[in-house]
Amino acid sequence: MKEKIIQYLEEKKECKIRELEKIVRPKSSKEFTEMVKSLNELEDEKLIYNDHTSLYLIDDIHFMAGSAKDISRYEIAVFNENNKVYVPKNKKMKIFDKDEVLVRLKPEPSLIKVFNHGLTNITGVMIVKKKKTFFYSDLDLHCSIRVVNEKEFSFKKRTKVVCQIVKYADPLEVRIIQVLGHPDDAGVDISAMLTSNQVRQVFNGKIVKECKRIPAKVQKDELENRKDLRNLLTVTIDGDDAKDFDDAISIVKNEKGYLLYVHIADVSHYVKENSALDQEAYLRGNSIYVCDRVVPMLPFDLSNGICSLNPNVDRLTITCAMQVDERGNLLTYNVFPSVIHSDKRCTYKKVNACLAGDETILEEYAEVKDLLFTLEPLAKLLKKQSHNRGCIDFNTKEAKIIMDKNGYPVDVTVLERGFAEQMIEECMILANVCVAHHMHVNKIPSMYRVHENPDPKKVATICTVANSLRIPFDFYPDEVNASQIQKFLESIQDENAYEVLSMVALRSMQKARYDAHCLGHFGLALEEYCHFTSPIRRYSDLVVHRMLHAYCFNEQKRTPSNDEKKIEKQAFHISEKERDAIMMERMVNDYKKAQFMEKRIGQVFEGTIVGVMSFGFFVEMDNTVEGLVPVHTLSNDFYDYDEDTMTLKGQTHGKVFQMGMRVRVVCTDVQREKGQVTFSLLERRNHD
């Protein structure tokens, strides 16, 4: 019956419920019940909209189903994988962040339905006044709130708590599920955000027991069928504050060019399939990195211990050995289980100093400097190969938030990347390519990292912005490839225009995800790619390692079709968890940036317009802090929004605000809990 209803609505787009009854023709109460059930299921599946008078087909032209995000006092952003719209707030309808909603797109976007409430937990402070306790929500939800289990606790001072919503009513009913401590204590604010977003932060007793049964050192019997590479000079190169080391590097210069070894921690040896450890790692999907901590995928006993390639200890690994010629071409590769002994833990900062000739660091790295100076030219060759095949370098800016001992942000800067970071990145990409190729050509079930071709409509946005900035381009959105986008970005001389168009190009891309099928990677301009190099922090890599052990190293008796089905399910889940982690990391960053700006209200800043909407424009400061200049704050004129050119133009004076324009702004308001900063325009400075 569902198919019949959809087929009819595809023809009519909308119909009265009575009209549908005539088409479906239920002949009995049972058939009528089936019709009602089908309508309810179609509505749950977000395929139809029922306003209790008429039924509408939810198509991409008239409707859009998506997730809501509260972005300002006046608008809500609604987005899904294919689209994003900004909708004025509906006073009659309470909408919270993460709500699944339906938007009617024409004539103007408007909210018409809430499918599901995405907000399940809220954080706030319990405050004692005159022997009475009051709950103050961190977020202004524009409704009263009643704590149903307040009497189960005794509060003597201001206390941060996490509450679960038990009834979406007025008042909103919530129950306290966790007491975190005083709101000014270091880290309490981030703990509250993690907890309210259901981030798994604690490993249960069963997992702790499993960890204790795992030896802290490599055992002799574990070396069987492993290639012994302990005498091969090996280093790890990571950030200054890294604690877990997934990967290590060895390199030998030979008559064919360079023999590069990428050693990856053999986490799958310790995290057995379907164990409690494995099930928890799968539920987490990946580690989450926020300002003051790592929420690990695996317990620290493993991630910082036996699975981490720490210096001066034996570790079990899977090695990808690659012979590369003098031009950077891959000649041969071999993937095998191994045991290594890392000789030194190097940092990006010191490796960069070593390569730059810093005498102090050269002395400190005396035992491994030859390895580093051999790796440097190889990495340059690999980088050149990446460039030649069309790999896109979006040159994105990553914020570095510096906090004091109390967890308060004292500075926001741009994270600097030297060549050491690029060296490791190129080595890891090459290893990932080799493993993906190995799995693909041998038809081994595997999980691939895929990045599909961009939607031509979104690529057309690049052309629109380029036109508005008078930047020439010579590609067509319908048939663009990565090399064309790369060459276009490299052709831009103006630094501001480059940053804006790089950001627009990045936003026009599809989201990279995991899949059981090898679909290629557009951004890297690769036909085969997977994630193999970070099994401590990504479950996807753990799956790839397991498949290597099962089908290549140990030749276990498994059914490929069963593994493929399982990986399909895992890939979908892990892709979702990755998106959740990115959103969580972004949420914490926005919160801390807003907190940083609280003491800077009234101060003047300079920035670049990075987004223009009908309700205003977003300005990004050079340190990555971003804020909104609402259109209603622009004085002495009314402004029209041109969607085609993404500009705001004054009706009277003809002032134009467009992406890439440098402006001076003053910080006028900060809403820390929402991670929102509001600017007002101080004066316009022409883009040059």
Side-chain angles (χ1 to χ4, degrees), residues 80-146:
N80 58 29
E81 288 185 359
N82 303 313
N83 201 5
K84 185 177 186 179
V85 296
Y86 295 87
V87 187
K89 286 189 174 176
N90 186 335
K91 292 181 181 178
K92 297 178 182 178
M93 197 178 295
K94 290 290 183 188
I95 304 295
F96 303 109
D97 266 3
K98 302 179 186 176
D99 282 1
E100 289 295 320
V101 301
L102 183 66
V103 175
R104 193 192 299 274
L105 297 173
K106 297 181 178 182
E108 295 292 334
S110 60
L111 287 163
I112 58 174
K113 183 176 178 62
V114 179
F115 290 113
N116 306 298
H117 287 295
L119 188 69
T120 56
N121 292 347
I122 61 172
T123 58
V125 179
M126 302 300 295
I127 296 179
V128 180
K129 289 182 179 179
K130 296 180 180 178
K131 297 183 180 181
K132 288 187 178 181
T133 307
F134 301 89
F135 174 73
Y136 289 86
S137 172
D138 289 334
L139 287 176
D140 183 1
L141 300 175
H142 309 291
C143 63
S144 54
I145 300 171
R146 187 170 77 89

Side-chain angles (χ1 to χ4, degrees), residues 279-297:
Q279 290 172 26
E280 181 67 22
Y282 175 69
L283 289 172
R284 296 184 180 217
N286 43 245
S287 298
I288 300 175
Y289 295 81
V290 291
C291 294
D292 65 344
R293 73 195 72 177
V294 177
V295 183
M297 183 180 81

Side-chain angles (χ1 to χ4, degrees), residues 203 211 243-244 294-296 298-306 308:
F203 293 98
C211 285
K243 299 290 190 297
D244 54 346
V294 177
V295 183
L298 299 172
F300 286 115
D301 288 351
L302 297 186
S303 61
N304 293 16
I306 190 64
S308 183

Side-chain angles (χ1 to χ4, degrees), residues 3-209:
E3 291 79 8
K4 194 173 184 179
I5 295 170
I6 289 293
Q7 187 177 0
Y8 182 69
L9 282 173
E10 283 176 345
E11 295 173 5
K12 301 283 290 183
K13 300 302 180 187
E14 68 173 277
C15 72
K16 302 291 184 184
I17 295 176
R18 288 184 179 179
E19 182 184 339
L20 183 68
E21 284 184 47
K22 292 177 183 178
I23 300 300
V24 177
R25 293 179 182 174
K27 296 174 182 177
S28 64
S29 59
K30 184 179 179 181
E31 288 185 358
F32 181 81
T33 302
E34 186 184 346
M35 183 189 79
V36 173
K37 183 182 176 184
S38 296
L39 289 173
N40 289 336
E41 287 177 356
L42 288 169
E43 196 168 6
D44 289 342
E45 292 166 14
K46 304 181 182 65
L47 296 174
I48 67 169
Y49 168 55
N50 181 357
D51 66 3
H52 305 295
T53 301
S54 298
L55 299 169
Y56 302 85
L57 180 72
I58 297 178
D59 57 15
D60 294 333
I61 300 171
H62 300 93
F63 298 94
M64 175 187 158
S67 181
K69 181 170 177 58
D70 187 355
I71 60 166
S72 78
R73 295 178 183 177
Y74 314 98
E75 292 85 17
I76 283 174
V78 179
F79 58 93
N80 58 29
E81 288 185 359
N82 303 313
N83 201 5
K84 185 177 186 179
V85 296
Y86 295 87
V87 187
K89 286 189 174 176
N90 186 335
K91 292 181 181 178
K92 297 178 182 178
M93 197 178 295
K94 290 290 183 188
I95 304 295
F96 303 109
D97 266 3
K98 302 179 186 176
D99 282 1
E100 289 295 320
V101 301
L102 183 66
V103 175
R104 193 192 299 274
L105 297 173
K106 297 181 178 182
E108 295 292 334
S110 60
L111 287 163
I112 58 174
K113 183 176 178 62
V114 179
F115 290 113
N116 306 298
H117 287 295
L119 188 69
T120 56
N121 292 347
I122 61 172
T123 58
V125 179
M126 302 300 295
I127 296 179
V128 180
K129 289 182 179 179
K130 296 180 180 178
K131 297 183 180 181
K132 288 187 178 181
T133 307
F134 301 89
F135 174 73
Y136 289 86
S137 172
D138 289 334
L139 287 176
D140 183 1
L141 300 175
H142 309 291
C143 63
S144 54
I145 300 171
R146 187 170 77 89
V147 180
V148 298
N149 64 336
E150 177 189 319
K151 292 181 180 179
E152 296 176 13
F153 302 87
S154 177
F155 298 103
K156 295 181 180 179
K157 58 181 180 178
R158 292 171 66 231
T159 308
K160 192 85 163 185
V161 297
V162 181
C163 295
Q164 182 183 57
I165 300 172
V166 294
K167 190 175 181 181
Y168 294 90
D170 195 3
L172 193 71
E173 293 186 3
V174 303
R175 63 184 297 273
I176 298 169
I177 58 171
Q178 189 169 356
V179 177
L180 296 172
H182 194 278
D184 294 333
D185 291 346
V188 165
D189 51 0
I190 294 178
S191 293
M193 295 169 74
L194 293 169
T195 304
S196 64
N197 284 277
Q198 290 95 43
V199 173
R200 303 174 72 89
Q201 299 170 73
V202 178
F203 293 98
N204 64 37
K206 190 175 181 181
I207 293 166
V208 171
K209 286 180 181 178

Side-chain angles (χ1 to χ4, degrees), residues 560-584:
S561 59
N562 290 344
D563 281 329
E564 285 167 6
K565 287 178 183 176
K566 184 176 182 179
I567 291 172
E568 280 182 13
K569 181 182 176 183
Q570 290 174 329
F572 180 80
H573 167 76
I574 295 167
S575 297
E576 281 196 325
K577 296 307 295 181
E578 180 187 41
R579 286 192 291 272
D580 290 345
I582 291 170
M583 190 163 61
M584 191 71 245

